[in-house]
Amino acid sequence: MSTTYKALKVLFGALLMLGVTQAQAATILKLSHNHTRDHAVHKSMQEMAKEVKKETHGEVVIRIYPDAQLGSQRESMELMQNGALDMVKSNAAELEAFGAAYSVFNLPYLFRDKAHLFKVEEGEVGSEILASTADSGFVGLAYYDAGARSMYANKPISSPDDLKGMKIRVQPSPSAIAMVKALGGNPTPLAYGELYTALQQGVVDAAENNIPSFSLSRHSEIAKYFSLDEHAMVPDVLVVSTKTLAKLTPEQQEILFKAARNSTELMKELWDASERQERIAAEKSGVTFVEVNKEPFIKAVQPMYDDIKASSPELYSFVERIKAVK
Ligand code: GCU
């Protein structure tokens, strides 16, 4: 056997081995989000990851990085767009900067109740919005129940008048900013991770969120009144990079979509339990939950709809389609 032949044989064998190893190596998908491991959304996505691993026989593995350890929601979106991350669990408010259609979920008092919201999410409008950002390099996989958001501060907020002169933390979302202005407060956009300190140091006087986020982020240690004005039901949204999707086979994509849908259903159950549990936890730590007459709030935000009608017919047509969903 000539030396060249031997060398070729070794090289060929090595290439074959490499091929085998590559075939066996799992595709790792990195997913970032900003909640703790105790949050229902983390648990729901863990179930999704388990299902994907099982159904793809270990070929696709989702690694979840909680607690904003890879960055805030905004930073994570940017990392995903640069190819450093595959998936991000954000929410419709934060996604507004990346896909204008998401803003409809942030409009105050648009949805009649949770059943209406779920019907929209699971119908045509919901799917169109998830698909609307493909040109920006990502698409939505799932909506996650995140209850209703209400105001919290160190005093009850029983009417928009109580917000006058107050600095209210909002998410970096134009709709949230417009809403607080319409209600008479001063909106202060901040990342979620900066809010605890901002409340503690008086950089802001109030914030708004759902009950589990209020309690699990320990904002309840500082703000002792949670006023149930329930101004918006802003869903969390799981998105995936289109480059990542293209790396998966059609079967693996199907498995991922299905597991995401299943985790949406699981989240609905976990959410209700978490809302009850975290309300009790907050009450134990001295928080008062205040029942609120929503009428003056609803009235105060109506000009927002006139503005959208005048400035963005495309968005307004989504609003009309949402209202028409029975
Ligand atoms: C909710 C939501 C988060 C979001 C947060 C916020 O907790 O689930 O995705 O970051 O609100 O107010 O920033």
Side-chain angles (χ1 to χ4, degrees):
M1 211 185 273
S2 78
T3 327
T4 327
Y5 179 73
K6 261 194 224 157
L8 275 176
K9 211 175 150 199
V10 171
L11 188 66
F12 188 63
L15 282 175
L16 259 184
M17 284 288 293
L18 191 69
V20 169
T21 338
Q22 270 176 352
Q24 283 168 349
T27 304
I28 308 287
L29 306 185
K30 287 193 199 157
L31 187 171
S32 163
H33 74 91
N34 66 354
H35 281 305
T36 62
R37 288 186 165 78
D38 298 335
H39 196 285
V41 82
H42 182 78
K43 295 177 190 161
S44 302
M45 293 190 299
Q46 272 182 322
E47 284 309 307
M48 171 186 71
K50 266 193 215 159
E51 185 177 331
V52 167
K53 188 171 175 191
K54 179 165 173 261
E55 296 300 321
T56 61
H57 308 289
E59 283 170 12
V60 180
V61 173
I62 300 175
R63 238 176 241 160
I64 308 178
Y65 297 86
D67 278 325
Q69 49 183 270
L70 298 185
S72 67
Q73 289 187 153
R74 194 191 172 88
E75 288 159 349
S76 301
M77 287 299 294
E78 285 163 359
L79 285 173
M80 188 181 71
Q81 288 187 316
N82 294 336
L85 272 176
D86 301 284
M87 300 164 89
V88 179
K89 195 292 295 164
S90 184
N91 79 340
E94 199 99 19
L95 285 173
E96 217 179 299
F98 297 86
Y102 279 102
S103 63
V104 290
F105 290 113
N106 311 321
L107 295 176
Y109 303 108
L110 175 60
F111 296 93
R112 293 184 298 275
D113 50 27
K114 231 180 212 186
H116 182 205
L117 172 70
F118 290 162
K119 219 163 172 197
V120 170
E121 287 173 355
E122 286 152 24
E124 261 178 34
V125 172
S127 314
E128 270 175 49
I129 295 176
L130 292 182
S132 67
T133 52
D135 289 346
S136 307
F138 71 94
V139 289
L141 280 178
Y143 294 104
Y144 290 123
D145 189 6
R149 295 174 78 101
S150 291
M151 299 284 172
Y152 52 90
N154 259 329
K155 65 171 200 186
I157 311 287
S158 307
S159 87
D161 283 346
D162 295 325
L163 291 170
K164 291 236 161 70
M166 285 181 90
K167 278 176 281 166
I168 296 134
R169 179 269 174 173
V170 289
Q171 285 196 253
S173 132
S175 309
I177 294 171
M179 180 195 71
V180 166
K181 279 190 186 154
L183 292 172
N186 300 326
T188 308
L190 277 181
Y192 191 49
E194 292 167 33
L195 182 52
Y196 184 91
T197 315
L199 280 167
Q200 199 178 37
Q201 297 181 345
V203 174
V204 292
D205 308 303
E208 48 82 56
N209 217 317
N210 52 56
I211 297 172
S213 293
F214 166 66
S215 166
L216 290 168
S217 60
R218 299 185 294 113
H219 299 166
S220 49
E221 289 174 1
I222 308 165
K224 292 301 180 190
Y225 290 89
F226 191 95
S227 302
L228 292 152
D229 62 276
E230 301 185 321
H231 50 263
M233 289 188 281
V234 180
D236 278 10
V237 185
L238 176 64
V239 300
V240 62
S241 134
T242 46
K243 275 198 204 122
T244 298
L245 272 186
K247 280 191 242 158
L248 303 180
T249 66
E251 292 75 24
Q252 291 170 341
Q253 288 182 12
E254 191 41 51
I255 289 169
L256 178 63
F257 283 117
K258 186 164 171 237
R261 274 200 303 278
N262 289 342
S263 67
T264 296
E265 290 310 311
L266 172 63
M267 181 68 178
K268 287 181 189 168
E269 285 166 36
L270 296 184
W271 182 264
D272 289 342
S274 154
E275 217 169 30
R276 279 194 298 276
Q277 190 181 319
E278 295 308 324
R279 178 168 174 156
I280 295 170
E283 277 167 342
K284 276 198 185 137
S285 74
V287 171
T288 304
F289 284 81
V290 183
E291 289 300 331
V292 170
N293 170 17
K294 294 179 190 167
E295 284 314 313
F297 289 86
I298 297 175
K299 204 166 158 234
V301 298
Q302 284 322 295
M304 283 180 73
Y305 290 91
D306 302 332
D307 286 351
I308 296 172
K309 194 172 180 182
S311 65
S312 176
E314 213 177 309
L315 222 52
Y316 198 72
S317 87
F318 271 125
V319 170
E320 286 186 314
R321 286 170 68 195
I322 289 173
K323 282 187 179 160
V325 172
K326 292 292 168 227

